[in-house]
Amino acid sequence: MANEIKENERLYRTEAVVIRRMNVGEADKILTIYTPDHGKLRVVAKGVRRTTSRLGGYVELFTKSRLLIAKGRNLDIVTQSEPINIYRKLREDLNLVAHASYVAELLDRLTEEGSQNYPAYELLIDTFSGLNSGDDPNITLRAYELHLLSFMGYRPQLQQCVRCQAELRPVVNFFSPELGGVLCNECGNIERRSAELSVDALKVLRHLQRTPFNEIPKLRLTDNLRRELEQAMRSYTRYLLERDLKSAEFIHTVS
Ligand SMILES: [Zn+2]
C-alpha cells in the first residue's frame, strides 16, 4: 500500500501540445510541451524513434495528447500518450507546417518553463485548430501574435500615442517596437526608430486585438496590407526577443 502511494506521487497526467522536439541518444527525444496547468515543460520520450515504440506518433510535433508523465531525476519522462487531436494538415501541408512552426516558436521564445498561462494554452489550441481547418493562415498568425503578446504582458498600445498620449487620428501614424505601440503622426516624425503605419493597417490591428480569437470573421486584405501588418508585428517581436524567429523565414521560403 505504502509503495503504491509512493508510486502515484511520482506520476501525473496532463493534456499537452508538442511545440518542439529534439533527438537525443540513439532513440530518445526531448519534447518541449505546452500544458494547461504547468505552462511549458521539457520532458523526455524514451525509445520513441524505434518503430516498435508504443508512444509512436502521439508525441509528434503539434499533436495534442493526454500524457502520463513520471517525475525523473533531471527531466520528467513520458510513460503513456493518447492522442486527442493530431492536426494532420499541420504536418502534411508544407505551408501550414511553416505557419504552425511559427506559432510554436513564438510561444517557446516568449515563455519560461513551468509558468502556467491557461489563456495562452487555449489560444495555442484554437490557433492550431483554425490553421488545420482552413482559416487564412496569414491573418490567423497576426491575430495569434496580438493575443499572445497581450497574455504575456506585451499588449501593443493601439489607441493612444505611446509618447504624447493623444488619441490617434485616421492619418498615417507610426509603429514603435521600442515603445510598444503606435505614435501619432507628430511624435512619429520626431522618433526615428519607428515605421509608418497606414490607416488601414491600424484599423486591422485594432480589430484583431479587440475581437476574441474565435470570433474573428473572414477578412479580405490586399497583399500590401498583409505585408505591412506582418512587418509591424515582426519588428515588435524581433525587438522583444532580440532576434528573428527562424520560422518567419521558413514561411517566406515555402509560400
Ligand atoms: Zn504623440
Side-chain angles (χ1 to χ4, degrees):
M1 188 70 188
N3 272 342
E4 205 172 290
I5 290 168
K6 213 173 174 189
E7 192 64 32
N8 287 341
E9 279 173 357
R10 294 187 52 238
L11 292 169
Y12 59 96
R13 277 176 205 285
T14 182
E15 215 177 270
V17 177
V18 180
I19 57 171
R20 195 171 161 198
R21 299 193 312 168
M22 194 176 73
N23 292 342
V24 283
E26 278 188 12
D28 303 346
K29 275 183 192 292
I30 291 179
L31 312 175
T32 305
I33 57 177
Y34 205 80
T35 70
D37 299 324
H38 316 282
K40 183 170 77 173
L41 297 174
R42 268 158 44 92
V43 295
V44 61
K46 287 189 183 285
V48 75
R49 280 148 63 208
R50 295 197 181 97
T51 47
T52 52
S53 166
R54 279 175 304 117
L55 294 173
Y58 307 145
V59 292
E60 292 284 350
L61 206 51
F62 313 142
T63 295
K64 177 182 171 188
S65 309
R66 244 181 297 276
L67 302 180
L68 183 64
I69 299 176
K71 292 230 186 259
R73 233 175 305 166
N74 299 313
L75 290 176
D76 292 355
I77 302 152
V78 181
T79 62
Q80 280 175 32
S81 72
E82 178 196 338
I84 301 171
N85 201 329
I86 60 169
Y87 306 115
R88 190 176 294 282
K89 286 189 187 150
L90 306 190
R91 277 189 275 145
E92 292 177 350
D93 177 324
L94 193 56
N95 186 44
L96 292 181
V97 172
H99 284 78
S101 301
Y102 181 89
V103 168
E105 191 183 357
L106 185 61
L107 182 64
D108 190 19
R109 295 284 180 206
L110 280 172
T111 51
E112 299 292 329
E113 272 179 64
S115 154
Q116 191 249 22
N117 192 320
Y118 189 71
Y121 178 74
E122 254 187 341
L123 178 65
L124 175 66
I125 300 297
D126 290 344
T127 304
F128 278 176
S129 299
L131 289 173
N132 193 59
S133 60
D135 287 356
D136 185 319
N138 177 272
I139 294 168
T140 301
L141 250 57
R142 298 295 84 77
Y144 169 75
E145 288 165 334
L146 282 162
H147 284 85
L148 183 63
L149 289 168
S150 291
F151 296 150
M152 296 297 160
Y154 302 112
R155 182 187 172 89
Q157 169 59 263
L158 305 174
Q159 306 303 324
Q160 288 137 7
C161 173
V162 282
R163 195 164 169 272
C164 74
Q165 320 305 326
E167 203 71 24
L168 296 168
R169 288 179 300 118
V171 295
V172 173
N173 292 294
F174 291 79
F175 186 81
S176 164
E178 270 185 273
L179 298 173
V182 180
L183 291 161
C184 72
N185 185 277
E186 289 73 28
C187 293
N189 280 310
I190 303 164
E191 186 70 47
R192 272 195 226 120
R193 281 162 295 190
S194 64
E196 281 191 8
L197 190 70
S198 70
V199 176
D200 283 345
L202 179 57
K203 249 189 228 167
V204 175
L205 289 177
R206 282 176 169 178
H207 180 71
L208 294 177
Q209 189 181 61
R210 69 169 172 253
T211 311
F213 187 85
N214 285 326
E215 293 167 27
I216 292 165
K218 284 198 165 51
L219 300 173
R220 304 184 81 181
L221 308 180
T222 63
D223 287 349
N224 274 345
L225 187 51
R226 285 169 187 266
R227 257 193 302 275
E228 188 185 355
L229 293 165
E230 181 180 343
Q231 271 161 19
M233 294 309 296
R234 197 165 165 187
S235 70
Y236 189 36
T237 53
R238 183 192 294 132
Y239 172 75
L240 293 172
L241 302 169
E242 298 176 331
R243 70 171 85 195
D244 262 322
L245 296 183
K246 277 183 244 155
S247 47
E249 271 321 303
F250 183 25
I251 289 174
H252 289 282
T253 313
V254 298
S255 59

Coordinates of all heavy atoms in Angstrom, one line a residue, residues 161 164 184 187, ligand 1:
C161 N -1.4 57.6 -28.6 CA 0.1 57.7 -28.9 C 0.9 57.3 -27.7 O 0.6 57.8 -26.6 CB 0.4 59.2 -29.3 SG 2.2 59.5 -29.5
C164 N 2.9 60.9 -26.5 CA 2.2 62.1 -26.0 C 0.8 61.8 -25.5 O 0.1 62.7 -25.0 CB 2.2 63.2 -27.1 SG 1.0 62.9 -28.4
C184 N 1.6 58.9 -32.7 CA 0.9 59.8 -33.6 C 1.8 60.4 -34.6 O 3.0 60.2 -34.6 CB 0.2 61.0 -32.7 SG 1.4 62.2 -32.2
C187 N 4.6 62.8 -33.3 CA 5.6 62.2 -32.5 C 6.5 61.2 -33.4 O 7.7 61.1 -33.2 CB 5.1 61.4 -31.3 SG 4.3 62.4 -30.1
Ligands
ZN1 ZN 2.1 61.7 -30.0

